[in-house]
Amino acid sequence: MRAWLNGKLLESPDEPVLSVLDHGLVVGDGVFETVAVDDGQPFALTRHLDRLARSAEGLGIGRPDLGLLREGIDATLDGQDLPFGRVRITVTSGRGPLGSPRGDHGLTHVVVTEPAQKPPSVATIITVPWPRNERGALSGLKTTSYAENARMIEAARAAGASEAVMPNTQGHLCEGTGSNIMYVLDGTLVTPTLASGCLAGITRALALEWLADELDVVERDAPIEVLADAEEVVLVGTTRDIQAISHVDGRPVAAAPGPVTQRAQAIWAREAAKTSDP
């Protein structure tokens, strides 16, 4: 693991360089992106940095210095042999008071790179009762205010699952804590619309773009109970790519991976191999 902060490559990720008054620590006032690294190359980096900027501006903390962040990414990757890994990019509103109002000390830019294990090709999920607020101030933004997600993923782990999937306030299927969800009904691959409150995932967007020419793919909202009728269930995300789901709340899914999922995985692998920055 290598870490970089505000233009400086750290001697160790444990080096004490972040102020205890940083608003990212005090109130979770920041945004982040996680970027997959494959054979030493970050995947879809431009898309991730663009979304980071949108999240920061949506949060009202201003626009991050994307050029500086690229320097940090390069610095943490330089000299590393990373067959597979991830880059975590975090930007906070910087040093502030012990309360909700922000300070005026400028943004904090952080990059951390580490090796990682590829997730398994098949996993299990649970649904949780805690809804995503599709009308909240943070809806659609990838922020560091992740305590809700931490609570949900711990519930999933306690149940022996790898991910928790939640509804929105209308009871519609929304997303996982760190992934978007898709499912197959009558041979059609369906995913919730962005109006559901789910994050506009990079993998989700690429999947919709790449799969549309060869599969029947639609964006449609439905009650979370639709998963009980799904012929196939899929998670999509930065390190998961397109991952088949074998069980939902302990109930076996008929096919994992089923024929639509297998076709989607093949299309993804083919298109992703063409470029590291689609």
Side-chain angles (χ1 to χ4, degrees), residues 14 21-22 39 44 59 73 97 125 182 198 205-206 264 278:
D14 295 320
L21 296 178
D22 192 280
D39 289 331
L59 190 59
I73 294 163
I125 64 174
M182 298 181 171
C198 70
L206 287 171

Side-chain angles (χ1 to χ4, degrees), residues 26-218:
V26 175
V27 295
D29 192 26
V31 296
F32 79 99
E33 289 288 326
T34 300
V35 184
V37 177
D38 199 357
D39 289 331
Q41 295 297 315
F43 181 73
L45 179 58
T46 298
R47 287 179 182 251
H48 279 285
L49 289 175
D50 287 347
R51 186 174 65 179
L52 182 84
R54 291 195 301 272
S55 292
E57 291 169 345
L59 190 59
I61 65 174
R63 186 174 178 84
D65 187 333
L66 302 186
L68 182 65
L69 287 170
R70 283 185 179 272
E71 293 177 11
I73 294 163
D74 289 342
T76 59
L77 286 172
D78 185 43
Q80 288 215 68
D81 180 16
L82 278 183
F84 186 74
R86 58 191 171 200
V87 178
R88 161 76 182 231
I89 307 162
T90 305
V91 177
T92 79
S93 61
R95 189 175 181 274
L98 287 174
S100 296
R102 293 170 176 149
D104 56 2
H105 295 269
L107 302 181
T108 299
H109 297 71
V110 182
V111 177
V112 180
T113 299
E114 66 172 359
Q117 294 290 325
K118 285 192 175 183
S121 59
V122 179
T124 63
I125 64 174
I126 65 167
T127 58
V128 292
W130 307 296
R132 181 73 82 214
N133 183 359
E134 71 277 11
R135 299 178 64 187
L138 303 185
S139 179
L141 306 181
K142 195 171 179 69
T143 76
T144 57
S145 300
Y146 240 51
E148 277 192 339
N149 287 5
R151 176 67 180 89
M152 293 180 195
I153 196 63
E154 287 304 310
R157 292 176 64 182
S162 71
E163 176 64 300
V165 174
M166 70 203 78
N168 63 16
T169 62
Q170 300 178 68
H172 289 157
L173 179 64
C174 186
E175 63 182 347
T177 66
S179 60
N180 290 109
I181 189 162
M182 298 181 171
Y183 57 93
V184 177
L185 277 180
D186 298 325
T188 297
L189 188 61
V190 185
T191 194
T193 70
L194 296 182
S196 71
C198 70
L199 185 71
I202 303 300
T203 307
R204 175 188 183 277
L206 287 171
L208 289 173
E209 177 183 332
W210 290 346
L211 303 181
D213 288 341
E214 301 178 46
L215 292 173
D216 185 11
V217 185
V218 300

Side-chain angles (χ1 to χ4, degrees), residues 238-249:
T238 293
T239 57
R240 296 175 188 266
D241 292 339
I242 297 178
Q243 183 185 53
I245 299 304
S246 65
H247 291 76
V248 178
D249 292 328

